[in-house]
Amino acid sequence: MDPAKLILDGNEYELPVVIGSEGEIGLDITKLRSASGAITLDPGYGGTGSCYSSITYINGEEGILRYRGYPIEQLAEKKRFVEVAYLLIYGDLPNETELDLFRHQLTHHSLIHEDMKKFFEGFPAEAHPMGVLSSMISSLSSYYPDSGNGEDIDLNIIRLLAKAKTIAAFSYKKSIGQPYVYPRNDLSYHADFLHMLYAVPAEEYVPPPAHEEALNMLLILHADHEQNCSTSTVRMVGSSQANLFASISAGVSALWGTLHGGANQKVIQMLQTILDDGADYRKYVDLAKDPNADFRLMGFGHRVYKNFDPRARILKGQADKVLGQMGVEDPLLDIARNLERIALEDDYFIERRLYPNVDFYSGIIYRAMGIPTNMFTVMFALGRLPGWIAQWKEMRDDPHGRIYRPRQIYMGETERSV
Ligand code: CMC
């Protein structure tokens, strides 16, 4: 494709065109500033590509999501989370030998250093588990320093994946005042997490297969989503050559916000408010449309999807089935369905192309599994770990990678004297 042409103040500049493997078009402006003195301005980066990537493809207009070329629907139906993690991080699905080794490594690195238990003791019981997770992931860098060589990095990737679920489960146990439950080597990744979450010393705990299956699907659906807020944070922090744990800890913090992963907790709180208020969902749709009300329909809308979020489509389909298998009836599911139906018929939502996103139905399934509401975003983080790691690794391995350093248009005072 011919270069794009930009005319600025009578001067013409050529901008090379880059075309992605799915035909996406990008204008390369890397030389624009040195040639013209001008920068591009795009608050929120809605029209800005920050990197080349071969990990995840999203087509927001058509509601397509693929990891390394595989449609999310196929992965969610046919694969285990550890296989998808391997796919994202190493580029291909593992063969049997690779998978056995990967599973073995994840199992045998799942203990955290005993001293780290003292950190949990320092947090107040009501500490939000996302704050605990972020701090504990950052503190892993003290135990497993990164000399920058590839072997250290590879081992730390395994350690992070293996230990994050132990940290997440310990933070929950701490919050309810129960003894920590150590990982078990005979359980799968998901089953082990559920065991550390729910087992108590007095009884034998066997994770219900329906819970294991639901967790597998949820983790896969959250595993990557290209350059979203938390992933861009991981890349930004990592671009200064900060270590893996520091970079991912920053990603956990970015995910915590209610416009991002924190929305899954807010969705349930919103549905509960509607239920307590007589289940008048129409009132809340009207409220979400009111420009003077500080209220949004949580779990609705997306920067990239202007069609159904394919993850929400899968979850909506699965919510009934999963709750049925678990023998759970949840009035919040009816409210969610009604809210969605009314919103999707409403001109405000139609014009703005606002659809349910991944957070709209995920919380209902977590609730049915008995996962407490303040752990929902931690569940999102556990799922997103392989994506963050893959993106961090891709950025580190990129020979053309540079430190992230956007510019600004200064709008403040011009020079003045004190
Ligand atoms: N309820 C009501 N109105 C909305 C909503 C909503 N959930 N989302 C967007 N809008 C309106 C918004 O008011 C604006 O209207 P107008 O053009 O009249 O000013 C228009 O739609 C465009 O919204 P925006 O805020 O410019 O869109 P964005 O791309 O900057 O924000 C979003 C995307 C996801 C932050 C936003 O849709 C939102 O706040 N949704 C609720 C929070 C949520 O569910 N977040 C989870 C996102 S998916 C999981 C993840 O990957 O993090």
Side-chain angles (χ1 to χ4, degrees):
M1 197 179 279
D2 290 339
K5 289 190 175 147
L6 171 76
I7 298 171
L8 180 68
D9 206 14
N11 297 314
E12 186 174 295
Y13 303 94
E14 288 202 339
L15 305 176
V17 174
V18 180
I19 302 181
S21 54
E22 292 284 350
E24 286 171 305
I25 298 172
L27 307 184
D28 179 348
I29 56 127
T30 45
K31 303 251 166 21
L32 180 64
R33 186 169 186 286
S34 54
S36 71
I39 61 167
T40 55
L41 186 62
D42 180 20
Y45 308 130
T48 297
S50 60
C51 59
Y52 297 90
S53 182
S54 312
I55 301 170
T56 289
Y57 172 68
I58 300 178
N59 179 327
E61 272 65 38
E62 292 177 29
I64 294 173
L65 169 61
R66 296 185 202 129
Y67 300 158
R68 303 277 189 191
Y70 295 107
I72 189 66
E73 294 79 5
Q74 292 179 22
L75 292 169
E77 191 191 328
K78 299 187 175 144
K79 290 291 162 195
R80 311 304 295 169
F81 174 65
V82 287
E83 294 174 275
V84 172
Y86 188 100
L87 168 72
L88 286 167
I89 296 169
Y90 304 110
D92 279 307
L93 283 166
N95 61 31
E96 220 171 298
T97 316
E98 289 163 337
L99 184 59
D100 283 350
L101 176 63
F102 191 50
R103 281 206 168 113
H104 179 87
Q105 289 174 315
L106 292 182
T107 303
H108 288 85
H109 285 283
S110 57
L111 277 175
I112 57 170
H113 196 289
E114 275 296 291
D115 286 353
M116 286 184 79
K117 279 178 22 189
K118 297 195 189 99
F119 297 172
F120 286 99
E121 281 153 30
F123 287 105
E126 63 279 9
H128 196 287
M130 281 298 273
V132 177
L133 183 68
S134 173
S135 313
M136 297 302 264
I137 288 181
S138 184
S139 71
L140 287 173
S141 58
S142 318
Y143 293 89
Y144 309 104
D146 163 9
S147 65
N149 80 40
E151 268 177 42
D152 270 1
I153 290 176
D154 286 345
L155 186 53
N156 280 349
I157 286 174
I158 297 289
R159 285 174 172 144
L160 176 55
L161 274 173
K163 293 178 199 305
K165 67 177 168 30
T166 312
I167 291 173
F170 277 29
S171 72
Y172 171 60
K173 286 298 200 190
K174 155 79 191 180
S175 74
I176 56 168
Q178 285 186 3
Y180 307 120
V181 175
Y182 284 75
R184 259 175 53 181
N185 287 0
D186 59 327
L187 294 177
S188 71
Y189 192 89
H190 328 85
D192 189 30
F193 175 65
L194 292 171
H195 154 256
M196 288 190 281
L197 213 56
Y198 295 127
V200 285
E203 351 176 308
E204 175 71 5
Y205 172 81
V206 182
H211 289 202
E212 251 193 89
E213 284 313 306
L215 184 55
N216 183 58
M217 174 195 65
L218 282 157
L219 295 179
I220 290 175
L221 294 183
H222 286 89
D224 194 47
H225 215 233
E226 51 115 308
Q227 308 313 317
N228 54 79
C229 174
S230 56
T231 303
S232 297
T233 300
V234 169
R235 279 188 179 254
M236 168 139 334
V237 174
S239 76
S240 72
Q241 301 203 338
N243 67 66
L244 176 73
F245 302 119
S247 307
I248 303 281
S249 155
V252 173
S253 300
L255 185 74
W256 193 357
T258 48
L259 296 186
H260 194 6
N264 60 11
Q265 177 174 341
K266 289 285 170 200
V267 169
I268 292 298
Q269 288 164 347
M270 174 187 77
L271 295 175
Q272 189 64 52
T273 304
I274 299 175
L275 181 66
D276 296 344
D277 194 19
D280 185 0
Y281 43 85
R282 284 173 202 275
K283 175 174 149 190
Y284 287 86
V285 170
D286 288 342
L287 204 57
K289 289 156 47 180
D290 181 351
N292 299 316
D294 187 19
F295 177 79
R296 286 190 163 197
L297 272 196
M298 297 313 287
F300 253 78
H302 200 276
R303 172 66 59 80
V304 180
Y305 292 121
K306 300 302 168 199
N307 191 329
F308 255 93
D309 177 338
R311 304 166 300 173
R313 207 194 285 274
I314 297 173
L315 285 173
K316 184 184 176 189
Q318 287 291 317
D320 258 339
K321 186 176 144 204
V322 172
L323 266 61
Q325 280 170 345
M326 294 175 191
V328 172
E329 279 180 29
D330 189 343
L332 298 193
L333 182 56
D334 286 337
I335 294 182
R337 280 211 205 88
N338 282 321
L339 211 52
E340 178 188 342
R341 184 174 50 78
I342 298 295
L344 293 183
E345 289 166 359
D346 192 294
D347 283 348
Y348 175 96
F349 290 85
I350 295 169
E351 278 160 20
R352 289 167 181 74
R353 301 170 79 184
L354 301 170
Y355 293 86
N357 59 50
V358 70
D359 293 323
F360 196 64
Y361 285 104
S362 61
I364 289 175
I365 303 181
Y366 290 136
R367 242 164 85 91
M369 293 165 67
I371 292 177
T373 315
N374 70 351
M375 282 291 287
F376 288 2
T377 315
V378 170
M379 306 306 292
F380 191 149
L382 285 184
R384 184 54 55 87
L385 261 187
W388 286 332
I389 293 170
Q391 302 270 352
W392 182 88
K393 192 167 174 303
E394 185 179 69
M395 182 223 33
R396 284 283 280 232
D397 295 344
D398 179 357
H400 309 295
R402 302 169 81 194
I403 189 166
Y404 276 36
R405 203 323 184 170
R407 289 188 179 253
Q408 63 169 12
I409 298 290
Y410 177 67
M411 303 293 271
E413 299 287 349
T414 53
E415 183 175 353
R416 52 181 172 165
S417 294
V418 174

